[in-house]
Amino acid sequence: MLEIVEHDIVIVGGGGAGLRAAIAAVEADPAASVAMISKVYPMRSHTVSAEGGAAAVAREDDNFEMHGYDTVKGSDFLGDQDVIQYFVEQAPRELTRLEHWGCPWSRNEDGSVATRAFGGMSTKRTWYAADKVGFHMLHALFQHSLRFDRIVRYDEQFVTKLVVVDGAVRGVVALDVREGNMRLFLGRAVILTTGGAGKIFPFTTNGNIKTGDGMALAYREGVALKDMEFVQYHPTGLPGTGILITEGTRGEGAYLKNGRGERFLIEYDHGVGHKAELGPRDMISRAIIREMEAGRGVESEWGLVVHLDLTHIGEERIMSKLPMVRELCQIYVHVDPVHEPIPVRPVVHYMMGGVDVDIDGATSLPGLYAAGETACASLNGANRLGSNSLTECLVFGARAGQHAIAFAKGSSGANQSACQDIAEQESARIESLRARKGGSERIAGLRAEMHHSMETGCGVYREQDSMDDTVRKTTELRERYAALKLEDDSRVFNTELIAALELGNMLLVAEAVAVSASHRHESRGAHARRDQPTRDDQNFLYHTLCHWDSGGPRLDRKDVTLGKWEPEERKY
Ligand SMILES: Cc1cc2nc3c(=O)[nH]c(=O)nc-3n(C[C@H](O)[C@H](O)[C@H](O)COP(=O)(O)OP(=O)(O)OC[C@H]3O[C@@H](n4cnc5c(N)ncnc54)[C@H](O)[C@@H]3O)c2cc1C
């Protein structure tokens, strides 16, 4: 039997963006009821693993103009300037509010909020709580959300489909992971806050749950995915696991060194100028690859790496500012950064692209909103600056919550039987997938082929031929997915079924990334082509829109909202 649950709005995701949206919605309308559905317990959302900090103007030597310009320049002029303006103005309010809700920001001696330097930022504006920022932020949000009994949580429920009737979203269908039954959630607005999709790549800082579910949910219903070609590689991942070593290390003064022990960002011209280790992520990741290609990498048991050197920083400072970094290095690469350099290499970290939304978080589908990493409001353009993302979850999570609740109030209820029909069909689809015996394809096989193809075609550096190969491969894999074979037909915590659903989502997202990348014939931000190494504003200063259309991706474009900052050469 299909269970039906009704709320005013339905939020999919319980990470930073989802929790902030839920709180904003019930604050805007205390009578409203909000369903918050999450495939894991909210405190296990990827936000919890953020280390380095959240950006907002705090110091006297800083202002909105500077934060705005840094973000526009970091985005390689693809960020929308109205969105950026709103973001920088709201950022300090949001971080202060979070402190009132219990987030313990680190302090200076005089009691003011401590800030650290981060890549591409022209002054210290990254607020932090040692190197466990995501944990403290998520905790503060989660605890605060418990004050509102109108926020009703549905943990360990996997949303598989949006319910769209008469051209508007009316709710979602979800699989109860604990029991295996399906549930229809009716709501007059839905907010997707499902996070990123780093797991389409093999080597990533992202947790296993970051499989692009929300992007796939929206895409299947005709909502465009925007700027998917821009995938952020973080310069400093631990080899082997991909565990992130935060940019906060460089903010505290760490050096990057090549196999000759040189600070290569200073010794050789990699375009980051005087910023050196505090350059933006796209440029530093490319510099590392170039050092390796020039024979100046460091041979290690994990292959080629470079060194991140903290030894001059001293044990006391490392223990007060970066204790988790030390612990991670000791456990995972058996290196104590107090005494030895850390082996690192670039690692897939963040999706600049996502569900196409406007400044209110609204998509082209009435009633559907998105915020956080799954959305693309065009704050980050072609390259995100480190520490803007956590703040983005707060600023645009809140705004999406407010707008979704206002939309819900003005919208009439859905035709319930039409919604129920969709949910019944979806239940039947999931039932037929559960232990589908006859197929020839295995989850692990398709996933491995996707990983290999994405790494080869959509890496730090790209070329037309390999991107085209990846387009063909991801399309082929998406089609082969129809012949998937599963073994486990149990109902309680059927992790094989979840993995199958996630793979289906990842294949759609991977294809959208590859198709979008292969059509951008220039280099901009994180999309760096060897065969077209320069930026071409004449022909490519636009957002890529990827639509799901007649069983395949179709590309379109959207103007960039410019403003007071004219595109110029991006030099540091
Ligand atoms: C290791 C690491 C460190 C980082 N450090 C920083 C940093 O220092 N500063 C910074 O600004 N950014 C940082 N980032 C980026 C930032 O943390 C993320 O972009 C941000 O936390 C994303 O938050 P979110 O709310 O959008 O998604 P998430 O926190 O990923 O939450 C997604 C939620 O959606 C739910 N969900 C997903 N799919 C489904 C589904 N099908 N059904 C139901 N629920 C679903 C999940 O259960 C989860 O609750 C870091 C990222 C990583 C990986």
Side-chain angles (χ1 to χ4, degrees):
M1 256 304 276
L2 184 75
E3 191 186 329
I4 302 176
V5 183
E6 189 162 3
H7 291 273
D8 291 308
I9 64 171
V10 176
I11 298 179
V12 188
L19 283 162
R20 185 67 190 92
I23 294 168
V26 290
E27 279 183 343
D29 179 0
S33 83
V34 175
M36 205 181 77
I37 310 175
S38 175
K39 69 177 175 179
V40 297
Y41 192 75
M43 277 304 295
R44 297 185 59 215
S45 304
H46 188 75
T47 299
V48 80
S49 62
E51 299 172 17
V57 169
R59 290 156 56 100
E60 282 186 358
D61 69 351
D62 200 4
N63 57 47
F64 297 151
E65 178 87 10
M66 285 162 67
H67 192 186
Y69 177 68
D70 288 346
T71 304
V72 170
K73 183 174 172 183
S75 81
D76 219 346
F77 297 88
L78 201 73
D80 282 355
Q81 295 188 18
D82 54 342
V83 169
I84 291 170
Q85 187 74 39
Y86 178 77
F87 167 77
V88 298
E89 286 169 14
Q90 293 300 315
R93 287 181 214 177
E94 281 295 330
L95 296 193
T96 307
R97 186 171 289 139
L98 211 62
E99 168 157 283
H100 297 162
W101 295 349
C103 184
W105 299 121
S106 292
R107 295 281 166 182
N108 295 317
E109 293 277 295
D110 66 0
S112 57
V113 169
T115 47
R116 59 167 49 125
F118 244 63
M121 301 278 190
S122 54
T123 183
K124 293 183 179 179
R125 69 164 72 91
T126 298
W127 305 31
Y128 60 94
D131 56 359
K132 298 188 180 71
V133 178
F135 171 82
H136 289 299
M137 287 180 67
L138 196 61
H139 218 275
L141 285 164
F142 184 61
Q143 299 275 51
H144 192 69
S145 77
L146 299 177
R147 294 177 55 169
F148 303 96
D149 57 9
R150 307 292 288 168
I151 301 175
V152 183
R153 283 207 342 264
Y154 298 88
D155 298 339
E156 296 178 322
Q157 317 265 320
F158 189 106
V159 173
T160 63
K161 186 167 174 59
L162 299 178
V163 176
V164 180
V165 175
D166 297 333
V169 71
R170 304 296 185 170
V172 306
V173 189
L175 167 72
D176 186 327
V177 182
R178 289 181 282 204
E179 294 170 6
N181 51 313
M182 300 293 287
R183 210 163 267 136
L184 166 62
F185 290 87
L186 293 171
R188 279 167 287 135
V190 171
I191 312 178
L192 297 171
T193 61
T194 50
K199 279 287 162 184
I200 62 175
F201 288 86
F203 188 62
T204 173
T205 62
N206 284 195
N208 278 332
I209 59 173
K210 296 194 73 173
T211 50
D213 299 354
M215 296 178 192
L217 288 169
Y219 184 52
R220 283 197 193 95
E221 303 304 329
V223 176
L225 298 182
K226 182 166 61 185
D227 293 339
M228 293 301 283
E229 60 271 44
F230 301 105
V231 176
Q232 177 160 80
Y233 278 76
H234 193 292
T236 60
L238 283 187
T241 55
I243 290 172
L244 176 79
I245 299 301
T246 171
E247 196 164 300
T249 52
R250 283 170 283 136
E252 297 299 336
Y255 300 144
L256 278 167
K257 291 183 175 170
N258 62 19
R260 298 179 186 168
E262 299 165 326
R263 283 181 69 192
F264 54 89
L265 295 166
I266 291 181
E267 296 293 325
Y268 304 93
D269 180 15
H270 287 296
V272 293
H274 66 280
K275 283 206 147 318
E277 279 84 359
L278 291 173
R281 290 178 178 173
D282 55 342
M283 290 181 166
I284 295 186
S285 292
R286 288 197 285 276
I288 293 174
I289 301 292
R290 281 200 296 266
E291 287 298 306
M292 291 173 172
E293 286 174 351
R296 298 194 292 266
V298 180
E299 290 287 353
S300 79
E301 60 185 279
W302 306 276
L304 273 184
V305 295
V306 293
H307 277 152
L308 181 68
D309 191 352
L310 279 72
T311 54
H312 56 287
I313 292 178
E315 182 165 3
E316 197 186 318
R317 181 120 172 252
I318 289 176
M319 287 314 289
S320 74
K321 300 282 176 74
L322 303 161
M324 191 165 77
V325 166
R326 186 179 190 189
E327 199 182 319
L328 291 172
C329 292
Q330 286 173 320
I331 295 173
Y332 292 98
V333 288
H334 311 297
V335 158
D336 182 353
V338 170
H339 304 294
E340 303 152 273
I342 310 169
V344 291
R345 75 168 172 99
V347 57
V348 167
H349 186 55
Y350 181 86
M351 305 293 291
M352 266 71 75
V355 178
D356 176 28
V357 295
D358 66 13
I359 195 168
D360 301 329
T363 70
S364 58
L365 178 63
L368 184 66
Y369 294 76
E373 191 172 340
T374 205
C376 179
S378 298
L379 170 71
N380 304 302
N383 173 64
R384 169 179 76 100
L385 292 188
S387 73
N388 267 355
S389 165
L390 288 171
T391 314
E392 175 181 8
C393 287
L394 301 176
V395 170
F396 292 101
R399 189 155 167 154
Q402 289 151 0
H403 282 264
I405 205 74
F407 179 93
K409 273 202 229 173
S411 140
S412 57
N415 172 341
Q416 191 162 326
S417 77
C419 296
Q420 234 169 302
D421 287 348
I422 292 175
E424 300 285 359
Q425 280 166 26
E426 180 63 2
S427 299
R429 181 182 78 91
I430 302 297
E431 272 318 308
S432 80
L433 180 62
R434 193 194 304 273
R436 189 190 296 139
K437 296 287 182 219
S440 53
E441 299 289 351
R442 308 308 300 260
I443 295 173
L446 293 179
R447 192 170 47 207
E449 286 186 52
M450 170 186 72
H451 279 166
H452 177 71
S453 179
M454 291 307 287
E455 191 165 61
T456 325
C458 297
V460 171
Y461 278 108
R462 301 162 175 194
E463 280 173 57
Q464 195 65 50
D465 288 352
S466 50
M467 280 187 285
D468 289 345
D469 284 347
T470 301
V471 171
R472 278 190 289 275
K473 188 68 185 179
T474 48
T475 304
E476 174 205 309
L477 294 172
R478 171 171 59 70
E479 287 164 3
R480 281 166 52 194
Y481 177 82
L484 200 64
K485 173 181 156 72
L486 276 72
E487 303 261 304
D488 181 3
D489 63 0
S490 65
R491 305 194 75 79
V492 175
F493 277 102
N494 184 334
T495 50
E496 190 192 30
L497 178 60
I498 297 298
L501 291 167
E502 290 178 334
L503 177 65
N505 293 336
M506 286 194 288
L507 289 171
L508 276 184
V509 173
E511 186 186 29
V513 169
V515 170
S516 303
S518 72
H519 280 78
R520 186 172 281 277
H521 296 267
E522 63 156 359
S523 288
R524 183 186 297 271
H527 179 65
R529 297 181 55 132
R530 290 189 200 273
D531 49 0
Q532 263 135 349
T534 51
R535 201 178 79 197
D536 177 0
D537 286 337
Q538 202 73 34
N539 296 302
F540 290 97
L541 184 59
Y542 61 72
H543 299 296
T544 306
L545 295 183
C546 185
H547 294 270
W548 181 248
D549 196 1
S550 324
R554 172 179 60 84
L555 292 185
D556 198 0
R557 53 180 68 176
K558 186 172 183 175
D559 288 342
V560 176
T561 306
L562 296 172
K564 58 184 164 196
W565 295 294
E566 287 292 323
E568 62 190 14
E569 193 189 347
R570 183 164 165 246
K571 277 199 304 219
Y572 287 92

